[in-house]
Amino acid sequence: MNAPTALAPVSLEKAYLLLNHGPVTLVSSAAGGRRNVMAAAWTMPLDFSPPKVAVVIDRNTLTRELIEASGEFVLNIPARAMAAQVLAVGSESGRDGDKFARHGLTCLSQPETAAPLIGGCVGWLACRVIPEAHNQQSYDLFLAEVVAAWADPEMFSDGRWHFPDASRRTLHYRAGGHFFVTGEALAA
Amino acid sequence: MNAPTALAPVSLEKAYLLLNHGPVTLVSSAAGGRRNVMAAAWTMPLDFSPPKVAVVIDRNTLTRELIEASGEFVLNIPARAMAAQVLAVGSESGRDGDKFARHGLTCLSQPETAAPLIGGCVGWLACRVIPEAHNQQSYDLFLAEVVAAWADPEMFSDGRWHFPDASRRTLHYRAGGHFFVTGEALAA
């Protein structure tokens, strides 16, 4: 079980800082009474104001179906303690059963989005798809506007990550179940 | 001065692994006898085969002008020892003078691209722009195919980063001159 989740709003102009260092994300979505979560390493900020993001969502996934139906998703930023869950939800299809129950993932809801926020994560970006059919069809590439963001205030505040606790550092995905943990801070 | 640069080819099917963990990059370009280098944190893999990438290139930069003229660029992956250079070339415009000379950056050339490879980096992806005028004009978003890749073989081989040397670990950009160093490896 994950620890109870703390969550505080992040201002829109600082939301890109949740993603700027390139962490792996969990993409959560819901539509028509169904919900899903998958892992995505291929995501990046796209603009500051209004904040936008880009993310690759494979056309064969249930997540793709739910995002195309609802026009929205949440990018959740998982912590180190969730590495096994990130790998599991990135390896299985939501069409084979509910991944939340199977992997002990909890959901939080916020009024800004119909997509669930994943408990135990340290940052969340609620995103609304910018309809760009050519990108979606040709490249599996989704562009979206960030409409709300939150973070665990112990981990991220005033636009900065703190990471007081090694188990809640963010993760960077390599391949084959291998990650890097976000390492030490460095000022140039 | 940076140490002499070691460079070995990376197969195209493994090229995305150079970027998968979300490191900051240097974008190098050349056209019409001019060359430039800038920092870019907003880049991600876009496809496996053929490998593609996405990167945000602001419309006001000299890099944008050179990439639009040449249709190509190199994504260079800098090492920790280059953090001050990454910050400098990300803060200055190439229109105000040659950034290579000013910051002691060396260039390597390879037959696959007219853009220079930056010495002292640990990975390089030679990229050819996929013409998508709407993305470029509306979002400053460039999609490109990776046509060749290389890495320092001590740092990356058989599709895996090794990082035997702390000074040559990759970097993740935060903001305001602050980075995270790529941290410890973790298998889920």
Side-chain angles (χ1 to χ4, degrees):
Chain A
M1 290 301 292
N2 299 312
T5 299
L7 177 150
V10 171
S11 66
L12 286 180
E13 73 266 24
K14 290 183 174 161
Y16 82 96
L17 293 161
L18 292 166
L19 277 185
N20 213 65
H21 66 302
V24 71
T25 67
L26 297 176
V27 182
S28 54
S29 54
R34 294 189 298 169
R35 62 182 185 173
N36 200 29
V37 56
M38 61 168 255
W42 295 3
T43 182
M44 66 179 186
L46 179 67
D47 207 349
F48 293 106
S49 180
K52 299 188 187 84
V53 297
V55 58
V56 176
I57 306 284
D58 188 275
R59 66 197 62 200
N60 298 311
T61 61
L62 174 59
T63 293
R64 174 73 167 260
E65 187 183 332
L66 299 181
I67 291 176
E68 290 190 337
S70 66
E72 55 183 316
F73 57 90
V74 171
L75 292 182
N76 307 264
I77 302 177
R80 177 185 181 148
M82 298 175 69
Q85 291 163 312
V86 174
L87 183 64
V89 303
S91 310
E92 300 170 5
S93 172
R95 295 202 177 91
D96 298 328
D98 184 86
K99 291 194 253 185
F100 297 87
R102 190 184 306 151
H103 301 294
L105 291 170
T106 57
C107 291
L108 315 171
S109 60
Q110 289 290 317
E112 289 87 346
T113 178
L117 279 63
I118 309 297
C121 287
V122 292
W124 302 265
L125 299 105
C127 302
R128 190 167 299 150
V129 173
I130 300 168
E132 289 285 1
H134 171 68
N135 284 332
Q136 296 167 206
Q137 289 162 16
S138 298
Y139 302 107
D140 292 341
L141 175 64
F142 283 72
L143 311 184
E145 184 172 335
V146 180
V147 297
W150 306 265
D152 180 330
E154 276 192 70
M155 300 290 123
F156 183 95
S157 62
D158 296 328
R160 296 185 68 154
W161 288 105
H162 309 295
F163 300 134
D165 172 349
S167 74
R168 287 186 288 168
R169 297 184 86 85
T170 52
L171 295 167
H172 305 265
Y173 194 59
R174 302 169 71 186
H178 293 268
F179 298 83
F180 288 116
V181 180
T182 303
E184 66 186 292
L186 178 75
Chain B
M1 291 298 293
N2 298 311
T5 298
L7 176 151
V10 171
S11 65
L12 286 180
E13 73 267 23
K14 290 183 174 161
Y16 82 96
L17 293 161
L18 292 166
L19 277 185
N20 213 65
H21 66 302
V24 71
T25 66
L26 298 176
V27 182
S28 54
S29 54
R34 294 189 299 169
R35 61 181 187 176
N36 198 29
V37 56
M38 60 169 254
W42 295 3
T43 181
M44 66 178 184
L46 180 66
D47 206 349
F48 293 106
S49 180
K52 299 188 186 85
V53 297
V55 57
V56 176
I57 306 284
D58 188 276
R59 66 197 62 200
N60 297 312
T61 61
L62 174 59
T63 293
R64 174 73 167 259
E65 185 183 333
L66 298 181
I67 291 175
E68 290 189 337
S70 67
E72 55 184 315
F73 59 89
V74 171
L75 291 182
N76 307 265
I77 303 178
R80 175 184 181 149
M82 297 175 71
Q85 291 163 311
V86 174
L87 183 64
V89 303
S91 309
E92 300 171 4
S93 171
R95 294 201 178 92
D96 299 328
D98 184 85
K99 292 193 252 185
F100 297 87
R102 190 183 306 152
H103 300 294
L105 291 170
T106 56
C107 291
L108 314 171
S109 59
Q110 289 289 317
E112 290 86 347
T113 178
L117 279 62
I118 309 297
C121 286
V122 293
W124 301 265
L125 299 104
C127 301
R128 189 168 300 150
V129 173
I130 300 168
E132 289 285 1
H134 172 68
N135 284 332
Q136 296 167 206
Q137 288 162 16
S138 298
Y139 302 107
D140 291 342
L141 175 64
F142 282 72
L143 310 184
E145 184 172 334
V146 180
V147 297
W150 307 265
D152 179 330
E154 275 192 71
M155 300 291 124
F156 183 93
S157 62
D158 296 328
R160 295 185 68 153
W161 288 105
H162 309 296
F163 299 134
D165 173 349
S167 74
R168 288 186 287 169
R169 297 185 86 85
T170 51
L171 295 167
H172 304 265
Y173 194 59
R174 302 169 72 186
H178 293 268
F179 298 83
F180 288 117
V181 180
T182 303
E184 66 186 292
L186 178 74

